[in-house]
Amino acid sequence: METESDITVRHNADGHRYELLDGDAVIGEARYLPFDGADEPQRIFYHTTVDDAYSGQGLASTLSRVALDGTIADGKTIVPVCPYIKSWLGKHDDYQPHATAVRPTHLQALSGMNR
């Protein structure tokens, strides 16, 4: 868990998301879909958001870093469908070895889920 003043990030594994919290209030999240890749387990990150009232504080970056660090620590590969996660990865080369390209099977898995 990372802290930035009263802001924390927790992994809600049952909900398949990392949550950005201000106290007990969820103010952002990075949602993912677990996926069994051909060679390794993966997390398809498909949506990242932070409440407008908290924008401009770098919290989406903090949320992304914690979510991706957690994914790596859990031995899973990152699949960046979410535009924010994809952009974040493009700025952090050290995460590239832990990511894979989005494939049609990833998009098919997302199209079959209730978000």
Side-chain angles (χ1 to χ4, degrees):
M1 182 165 17
E2 293 289 321
T3 302
E4 196 161 311
S5 66
D6 294 342
I7 305 296
T8 58
V9 177
R10 74 174 171 210
H11 184 200
N12 179 339
D14 292 338
H16 304 299
R17 64 184 172 265
Y18 283 82
E19 298 172 332
L20 187 64
L21 303 161
D22 185 355
D24 292 332
V26 177
I27 60 165
E29 58 189 16
R31 293 185 166 269
Y32 66 85
L33 176 68
F35 186 81
D36 288 326
D39 298 326
E40 72 279 328
Q42 302 173 341
R43 285 187 182 148
I44 305 171
F45 283 89
Y46 64 89
H47 184 67
T48 304
T49 186
V50 173
D51 289 354
D52 288 342
Y54 293 86
S55 66
Q57 300 178 41
L59 296 176
S61 182
T62 298
L63 173 60
S64 298
R65 181 175 42 80
V66 173
L68 300 183
D69 284 347
T71 297
I72 294 164
D74 289 344
K76 301 183 185 320
T77 300
I78 302 158
V79 181
V81 172
C82 167
Y84 186 85
I85 295 290
K86 184 176 182 177
S87 173
W88 194 93
L89 283 169
K91 297 173 187 169
H92 298 86
D93 292 339
D94 49 325
Y95 286 80
Q96 293 302 323
H98 305 285
T100 190
V102 176
R103 295 186 173 83
T105 55
H106 296 129
L107 300 177
Q108 289 168 350
L110 287 174
S111 69
M113 65 179 282
N114 287 331
R115 298 185 216 180

